[in-house]
Amino acid sequence: MDNRTRILEVKHLCKYFYQGKVPMKAVDDVNFHVFKGETFGLVGESGCGKTTTGRTIIRLYKPTSGEVWFNGNRIDGKLNKEQSRAVTSKMQMIFQDPVASLNPRMTVEEIISEGAKINGIFQSKEELKANVRKMLELVGLTSEHATRYPHEFSGGQRQRICIARALITKPDLIIADEPISALDVSIQAQVLNLLNDLRKELGLTVLFIAHDLSVVKYFSERVAVMNRGRIVEMADSDLLYKNPVHPYTKSLLSAIPIPNPLLEKKRVRFEYDPSSHHYDENDVPQMMEVEPGHFVLMSQKEYQAYLGDNK
Amino acid sequence: MEKILEVKDLHIHFNAFAGHVKAIRGVNFHLNKGETLAIVGESGSGKSVTTKAVTRILPENAVIDNGEIIYKGQDLLKMSEKEFTNIRGSEISLIFQDPLSALDPVMKIGKQIMETLILKQKMPKKDAEKRALELMKAVGIPNAEKRFHEYPFQFSGGMRQRIVIAIALACNPELLICDEPTTALDVTIQSQILELIKKIQKENNLSVIFITHDLGVVANMADRVYVMYAGKIVEEGTVEDIFYDPRHPYTWSLLASMPNLDTRGSDKLMVIPGTPPNMLYPPKGDAFAARNRYAMKIDFEREPPMFKVSDTHYAATWLLHPDAPKVEMPEHLKQRIKQQLEEAGRYNG
């Protein structure tokens, strides 16, 4: 089944931040790949390194070590002008806060066309203008909005502008970093539906970063759960929710409040204690395949115990 | 049941540069002793303003046009500020959304808890210190003696919220108002804080008003629910009424608009079109009408009153009028509720 093209491949990616001598391992040996046309979800609590992973992939941070491959080319480290242009136009990001990520002194038209202009995607001004209009309509705004400034829009509309800006360079991969968590509940569904439609229509590949597991499950085909800079479990989203293996995933799943009072009032929470693993130097945890397409970070001992329990 | 708090016909507007923002347009609710009440709604619906009015911490440009807030038989709005100071913080306490901005960054944690005790209960310093340590232990702070002398920045978000809860509980309040207490926290921390609030409520027989937009949290905490939209209460009922038999189209969309763990990627989410109304110029008639696919002509002309569904359940929508055409909730939501009831049955039986 895995003969699909891997559009993005992340190998042993590490990003440490130094504050004094001891490194803060924000991303620690992360490996995953994203197939063309799929949506890959990255979930975890705040501070687990999911945003840093996304930002390192798109070259906002320089990785401490490891490799990032995009469209068959290695893109971490130094690139010449041409290569870097190819990356920035084919990989786009949507940020969490649409207020902070739009320049308040630029009109919507300027904001949306900037990326295309820099990358020289369109031949003439007219073509650029026509494409800006097209993008606005694609995300559910109208061409009258082009001359307005960001402050004239509501949160949901601003996020639509961010999406239009990301789409105009005709990217292959979109990194969406918590695109709906700053929006109001009634607006979140609008933006989710829009992203879902666009994904189908344009055949986009999306790396979806979020902390809300129900949203990630709805939106992604495969999901990776991160904790303390490492991926602890990775599987097809149905599989992961049906059969979580890593104790952290279990605790995360049990902590989501379910809008079903009769059930919710009786649920038992599962708490995760990282010291319960008892890892030692001879038994370093690794990603193990517990069933086809379902990887869990566990030590040999844990793996044997798991196999024993599931015979 | 004994009513500890009753709000009657509350109207509040804000003086803004552009005119009057009518934030609260006739809110009625009551809170029984020992129960947990949830107020749900999106931002701008007026849920925080309502609780700020109850604790009289509205900003200066807010004007209370009309209404009564009756706490244990007294109208809080008619009290002098001096009289009310004895109630705020001692009998009615508040927990805010952001624990970092609720704490003083340059004051040690222990001192912040003691401050309340010394000011409100005129406790001697020694006793206050002892009580503060007890409180820190009660809200589950490990190593309380050591952390007593630390500053807020040395605490994680969840721990900070525990401190805020300790301060709120310092004077044994009877009414606790929680304004989105877990929105800024991670799910795993959120579940710990919710458990803590529940435990404390049981131990002290507290009455709690819980403000949130997360329906999962409501399902976990609430006995009764008020749904707010554009400065009005549009539906009220027990938590079962609201989740399993919702009547207002706004409640329908709220319940159906977010994906749950059973929603498949191919399913389309039910969307509330448009945006909330501008409260500088509240629309005529039902404020939700413009976003409501079931809106009738009358919705744009006259405001619906609260129609009675059952003794505990009321909703403000013309759809409940005997002459209205029979409209049922969307099929998609009906399926979801049926599935949820089955699941709950399986889990409990």
Side-chain angles (χ1 to χ4, degrees):
Chain A
M1 69 180 261
D2 281 1
N3 48 15
R4 290 178 288 173
T5 3
R6 294 182 176 187
I7 188 164
L8 178 76
E9 203 160 0
V10 176
K11 292 180 187 166
H12 303 289
L13 187 71
C14 295
K15 175 68 197 169
Y16 300 166
F17 292 104
Y18 285 90
Q19 210 179 34
K21 274 192 178 143
V22 191
M24 213 282 291
K25 298 183 175 178
V27 177
D28 190 10
D29 193 20
V30 161
N31 296 285
F32 66 90
H33 53 262
V34 181
F35 294 115
K36 202 169 171 57
E38 86 168 337
T39 304
F40 186 83
L42 208 52
V43 250
E45 296 178 48
S46 49
C48 74
K50 53 190 195 301
T51 296
T52 311
T53 307
R55 289 179 165 229
T56 312
I57 291 169
I58 204 167
R59 293 167 56 79
L60 284 170
Y61 294 140
K62 196 173 166 287
T64 308
S65 64
E67 296 171 13
V68 181
W69 292 75
F70 176 60
N71 271 341
N73 302 311
R74 191 169 163 184
I75 60 156
D76 58 293
K78 266 210 165 106
L79 297 180
N80 64 32
K81 226 176 175 179
E82 226 167 87
Q83 288 167 320
S84 117
R85 193 162 281 177
V87 174
T88 44
S89 68
K90 288 294 169 200
M91 200 194 275
Q92 287 284 331
M93 195 151 181
I94 301 167
F95 296 93
Q96 174 171 5
D97 186 352
V99 182
S101 60
L102 296 172
N103 187 339
R105 295 176 56 162
M106 282 163 86
T107 62
V108 168
E109 176 157 16
E110 286 164 344
I111 288 171
I112 296 178
S113 60
E114 195 180 22
K117 231 187 234 166
I118 291 170
N119 286 301
I121 290 177
F122 303 111
Q123 304 307 320
S124 65
K125 268 191 181 161
E126 286 72 38
E127 200 186 339
L128 179 65
K129 222 170 185 161
N131 267 287
V132 170
R133 308 271 133 123
K134 208 174 106 196
M135 286 301 137
L136 279 171
E137 270 152 36
L138 194 65
V139 297
L141 298 169
T142 62
S143 45
E144 298 154 28
H145 289 125
T147 52
R148 297 197 196 162
Y149 288 90
H151 74 262
E152 295 172 70
F153 294 89
S154 66
Q157 285 175 319
R158 281 186 205 150
Q159 199 59 290
R160 287 167 194 267
I161 297 171
C162 293
I163 295 172
R165 168 176 67 181
L167 290 177
I168 197 161
T169 59
K170 305 204 173 77
D172 295 330
L173 175 70
I174 296 238
I175 299 179
D177 187 2
E178 306 255 16
I180 60 159
S181 54
L183 303 176
D184 239 324
V185 257
S186 73
I187 310 298
Q188 288 186 352
Q190 291 178 9
V191 172
L192 268 184
N193 271 348
L194 171 68
L195 278 172
N196 222 355
D197 290 345
L198 289 174
R199 182 180 65 158
K200 283 177 204 149
E201 222 169 282
L202 310 172
L204 286 175
T205 312
V206 184
L207 176 62
F208 191 79
I209 301 172
H211 68 272
D212 188 330
L213 287 130
S214 15
V215 172
V216 171
K217 157 111 197 299
Y218 167 72
F219 205 68
S220 330
E221 284 140 40
R222 284 191 308 136
V223 178
V225 181
M226 274 186 89
N227 178 235
R228 301 181 167 206
R230 309 196 68 164
I231 290 181
V232 295
E233 190 157 0
M234 181 159 65
D236 285 357
S237 59
D238 287 331
L239 216 56
L240 185 88
Y241 287 82
K242 225 178 277 158
N243 179 25
V245 174
H246 197 278
Y248 178 70
T249 316
K250 285 185 192 164
S251 108
L252 209 55
L253 279 173
S254 84
I256 319 175
I258 296 175
N260 184 356
L262 289 174
L263 175 71
E264 177 65 23
K265 288 207 159 92
K266 299 228 166 97
R267 271 171 84 212
V268 186
R269 308 284 181 204
F270 182 91
E271 263 182 53
Y272 174 55
D273 176 12
S275 64
S276 66
H277 290 295
H278 305 295
Y279 291 141
D280 57 41
E281 279 163 30
N282 308 322
D283 200 8
V284 190
Q286 282 176 326
M287 285 310 259
M288 303 282 188
E289 191 163 13
V290 293
E291 55 189 316
H294 187 168
F295 298 87
V296 183
L297 184 75
M298 43 173 45
S299 62
Q300 276 301 337
K301 228 188 260 165
E302 283 173 313
Y303 183 57
Q304 294 309 332
Y306 176 80
L307 289 183
D309 289 344
N310 288 278
K311 246 172 205 161
Chain B
M1 231 183 292
E2 193 192 339
K3 282 180 190 171
I4 182 164
L5 181 80
E6 191 167 13
V7 172
K8 286 182 188 164
D9 199 27
L10 188 68
H11 285 78
I12 298 174
H13 76 256
F14 288 93
N15 287 322
F17 184 69
H20 288 178
V21 179
K22 287 144 199 104
I24 304 289
R25 305 182 300 141
V27 161
N28 295 288
F29 72 87
H30 68 271
L31 172 69
N32 298 322
K33 197 159 173 43
E35 78 170 348
T36 304
L37 188 80
I39 303 182
V40 223
E42 49 199 305
S43 38
S45 60
K47 47 196 199 313
S48 288
V49 178
T50 309
T51 54
K52 281 186 177 158
V54 173
T55 41
R56 293 200 11 193
I57 50 168
L58 286 167
E60 271 182 16
N61 64 340
V63 180
I64 299 178
D65 300 313
N66 189 17
E68 290 172 58
I69 299 176
I70 301 186
Y71 172 73
K72 286 188 175 170
Q74 291 170 290
D75 190 346
L76 294 182
L77 297 176
K78 293 211 176 82
M79 262 181 211
S80 70
E81 183 58 33
K82 212 174 163 191
E83 283 174 294
F84 189 69
T85 313
N86 294 327
I87 292 182
R88 183 200 297 124
S90 342
E91 291 192 33
I92 303 179
S93 263
L94 258 167
I95 301 173
F96 292 102
Q97 172 171 357
D98 182 2
L100 188 55
S101 49
L103 294 170
D104 185 340
V106 292
M107 196 195 263
K108 285 179 181 162
I109 287 296
K111 208 172 162 198
Q112 300 201 35
I113 305 176
M114 280 164 62
E115 195 184 26
T116 326
L117 293 164
I118 294 169
L119 270 174
K120 295 277 175 191
Q121 300 206 320
K122 312 276 181 294
M123 227 184 230
K125 220 173 159 186
K126 274 243 168 76
D127 296 353
E129 201 173 321
K130 227 173 101 197
R131 172 95 176 111
L133 273 172
E134 276 171 27
L135 282 164
M136 283 175 76
K137 281 175 194 154
V139 295
I141 298 209
N143 247 335
E145 280 84 3
K146 182 174 159 263
R147 308 221 75 175
F148 191 83
H149 300 289
E150 289 183 356
Y151 290 95
F153 77 88
Q154 290 165 301
F155 284 66
S156 66
M159 286 294 156
R160 276 181 211 141
Q161 198 58 290
R162 284 170 197 263
I163 297 293
V164 174
I165 294 173
I167 296 173
L169 293 175
C171 300
N172 292 321
E174 295 191 31
L175 170 57
L176 184 67
I177 299 175
C178 308
D179 191 349
E180 308 244 12
T182 56
T183 312
L185 304 175
D186 275 316
V187 269
T188 43
I189 312 294
Q190 167 174 289
S191 72
Q192 291 169 14
I193 296 288
L194 295 182
E195 287 307 314
L196 175 68
I197 294 177
K198 270 203 261 188
K199 190 182 126 219
I200 290 165
Q201 176 181 26
K202 219 183 239 168
E203 284 169 3
N204 305 345
N205 193 24
L206 277 175
S207 315
V208 178
I209 298 181
F210 207 95
I211 296 181
T212 179
H213 62 260
D214 187 331
L215 292 167
V217 173
V218 175
N220 185 325
M221 300 292 290
D223 300 313
R224 281 191 315 126
V225 183
Y226 286 89
V227 182
M228 267 189 100
Y229 185 77
K232 289 196 149 216
I233 284 172
V234 295
E235 186 160 5
E236 65 164 285
T238 63
V239 72
E240 284 87 6
D241 290 338
I242 300 291
F243 280 86
Y244 303 129
D245 185 25
R247 295 302 177 101
H248 198 283
Y250 179 63
T251 317
W252 293 346
S253 350
L254 269 190
L255 287 170
S257 68
M258 281 320 284
N260 62 11
L261 288 175
D262 302 313
T263 318
R264 277 185 307 272
S266 49
D267 297 347
K268 209 153 165 101
L269 298 173
M270 188 173 150
V271 166
I272 313 177
T275 48
N278 181 352
M279 297 313 287
L280 271 172
Y281 315 101
K284 211 177 148 200
D286 184 355
F288 187 58
R291 305 173 77 186
N292 182 1
R293 76 172 92 167
Y294 307 102
M296 298 173 286
K297 203 172 158 215
I298 189 168
D299 280 309
F300 294 95
E301 287 161 5
R302 279 178 58 195
E303 263 179 59
M306 280 299 229
F307 287 99
K308 185 172 170 178
V309 181
S310 72
D311 282 344
T312 53
H313 192 180
Y314 296 83
T317 164
W318 284 115
L319 292 177
L320 290 173
H321 192 272
D323 294 342
K326 206 160 159 43
V327 172
E328 291 210 352
M329 70 175 91
E331 190 54 34
H332 159 62
L333 180 62
K334 221 190 221 165
Q335 287 299 327
R336 195 190 262 205
I337 289 173
K338 201 176 139 218
Q339 201 181 347
Q340 283 180 341
L341 282 170
E342 277 168 13
E343 238 171 79
R346 235 179 296 141
Y347 196 87
N348 295 332

